[in-house]
């Protein structure tokens, strides 16, 4: 049976928010000024509202201030994480695995010893290949994967992107928005069926663990006979 997810306590949640604050402030020089503005502007408006219309506006002003701070934190932390992920191996797969929605991600279905890799993504738009690494090498990997996948994906659309900052490449920070804007070409059933076919294609057989069964062991003297031939 699957273990139930542990609930995060209020103290742990505050600790996580504090870590996000520190990380974002370190990566983004505009985060502190924008956060200060998100606090001061609503509070100033709250003071004006309280002086003119009474204390009932104080709770609303506090809530608006917290909301403004959370909005700034969400926007700037995402930007900071994207900037930190730029150029890191496997960044595209990590971003896709954290995206909301039905995205089936298989990291590094094809790779080289030089940390070039191609990730396979299946979603409502169709089949998506994301390549990271040296542009010349990954284009060869992309070509191989496209030929291999073409045998089983049928009429499903196939998209491919090279992750990078050069001309014709897709920056990591634009990956989410680019894929979210793709048309929804497949239904949920189509995605499930396509996922099963591609898993069967990319599955790698594993050797059984443990001792070799007696009925699979070579007969005594077989190795001697083979060497003597």
């Amino acid at each position: 049976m699957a273990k139930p997810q542990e609930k995060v306590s209020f103290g742990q949640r505050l600790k996580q928010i504090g870590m996000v604050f520190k990380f974002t402030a370190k990566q983004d020089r505009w985060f502190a000024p924008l956060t200060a503005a998100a606090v001061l502007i609503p509070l100033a408006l709250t003071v004006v509202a309280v002086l003119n219309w009474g204390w009932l506006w104080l709770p609303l002003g506090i809530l608006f201030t917290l909301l403004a701070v959370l909005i700034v934190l969400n926007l700037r932390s995402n930007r900071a994480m994207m900037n930190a992920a730029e150029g890191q191996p496997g960044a595209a797969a990590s971003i896709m695995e954290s995206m909301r929605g039905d995205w089936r991600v298989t990291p590094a279905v094809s790779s080289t010893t030089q940390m070039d890799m191609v990730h396979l993504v299946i979603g409502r738009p169709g089949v998506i290949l994301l390549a990271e690494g040296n542009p010349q090498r990954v284009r060869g990997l992309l070509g191989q994967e496209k030929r291999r996948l073409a045998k089983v994906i049928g009429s499903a659309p196939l998209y491919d992107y090279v992750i990078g900052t050069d001309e014709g490449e897709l920056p990591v920070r634009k990956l989410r928005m680019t894929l979210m804007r793709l048309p929804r070409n497949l239904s949920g059933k189509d995605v499930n069926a396509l996922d099963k076919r591609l898993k069967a294609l990319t599955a790698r057989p594993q050797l059984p663990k443990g001792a070799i069964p007696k009925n699979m062991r070579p007969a005594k003297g077989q190795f001697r006979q083979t060497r003597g031939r």
Side-chain angles (χ1 to χ4, degrees), residues 128-149:
I128 304 167
L129 294 175
L130 304 175
E132 294 184 273
N134 181 277
Q136 295 181 350
R137 291 195 296 262
V138 296
R139 292 189 191 282
L141 292 179
L142 274 177
Q144 295 175 7
E145 285 301 310
K146 289 167 71 173
R147 289 191 294 270
R148 190 167 70 104
L149 296 177

Side-chain angles (χ1 to χ4, degrees), residues 30-45 64-65 68-69 72:
W30 289 103
F31 176 66
L34 290 174
T35 303
V39 172
L40 295 176
I41 294 175
L43 285 181
L45 294 175
F64 278 122
T65 302
V69 171
V72 171

Side-chain angles (χ1 to χ4, degrees), residues 120-122 125-129 145-159 186 190 193-195 197-199 201-202:
L120 173 64
V121 180
I122 307 169
V127 180
I128 304 167
L129 294 175
E145 285 301 310
K146 289 167 71 173
R147 289 191 294 270
R148 190 167 70 104
L149 296 177
K151 303 175 182 178
V152 294
I153 65 174
S155 60
L158 176 60
Y159 304 90
L186 305 179
D190 294 334
L194 188 58
D195 188 26
R197 294 204 303 269
L198 292 183
K199 279 183 178 178
L201 177 68
T202 57

Side-chain angles (χ1 to χ4, degrees), residues 8-23 73:
V8 180
S9 65
F10 181 72
Q12 291 175 326
R13 183 70 66 186
L14 288 179
K15 186 177 180 180
Q16 292 174 353
I17 294 175
M19 293 174 62
V20 175
F21 260 95
K22 291 180 181 178
F23 171 81
L73 176 62

Side-chain angles (χ1 to χ4, degrees), residues 69-132:
V69 171
L70 290 177
I71 291 174
V72 171
L73 176 62
N74 182 52
L75 294 177
R76 304 308 294 188
S77 62
N78 285 335
R79 182 183 181 89
M81 284 188 287
M82 294 300 171
N83 290 335
E86 196 80 54
Q88 298 295 324
S94 299
I95 291 171
M96 290 302 306
E97 289 174 336
S98 66
M99 280 181 60
R100 295 179 180 179
D102 188 11
W103 300 98
R104 321 288 176 88
V105 184
T106 306
V109 292
S110 181
S111 60
T112 68
T113 56
Q114 292 85 9
M115 299 303 291
D116 308 307
M117 59 190 73
V118 175
H119 313 298
L120 173 64
V121 180
I122 307 169
R124 296 291 297 276
V127 180
I128 304 167
L129 294 175
L130 304 175
E132 294 184 273

